[in-house]
Amino acid sequence: MNINKTLFWITLISGLTIFLIGVFLKLYNLTSNGFTAGRYGDIHQGMVTGFSGIFLGILILLLSIWTYRNYKKEKEKFDKME
């Protein structure tokens, strides 16, 4: 039960952070460039724009809502057992 609560807080904070970074990038018309490692260890250059930051932030916030609902369901089951 506590893992769901912890996962909720982690996804909420990271989702809000990524969303706000995306809004900042969109407002100031900036991009973030960098290198990432691929699945097999090869290196690629990637770019995050304002739209992609906002999009990723919203996806993580939706994941946060899902984990919160799971936490509440588990809490109800646990409370019924007592």
Side-chain angles (χ1 to χ4, degrees):
M1 183 171 74
N2 286 335
I3 191 72
N4 286 332
K5 187 176 183 179
T6 305
L7 184 61
F8 161 68
W9 282 109
I10 291 171
T11 55
L12 179 68
I13 291 169
S14 61
L16 284 174
T17 303
I18 293 172
F19 181 78
L20 291 175
I21 289 171
V23 168
F24 176 79
L25 290 174
K26 189 75 169 172
L27 285 177
Y28 292 103
N29 218 6
L30 300 172
T31 59
S32 176
N33 296 322
F35 293 104
T36 59
R39 174 185 270 179
Y40 300 110
D42 45 341
I43 297 176
H44 302 284
Q45 184 174 2
M47 180 187 313
V48 176
T49 61
F51 174 75
S52 61
I54 292 171
F55 183 73
L56 288 173
I58 289 173
L59 285 179
I60 295 174
L61 286 173
L62 289 174
L63 179 66
S64 174
I65 292 169
W66 180 70
T67 57
Y68 182 74
R69 295 175 91 195
N70 281 345
Y71 164 68
K72 283 298 184 181
K73 287 178 186 176
E74 290 292 323
K75 185 169 172 45
E76 284 179 11
K77 288 179 186 178
F78 184 74
D79 289 341
K80 286 181 183 179
M81 287 174 51
E82 291 181 351

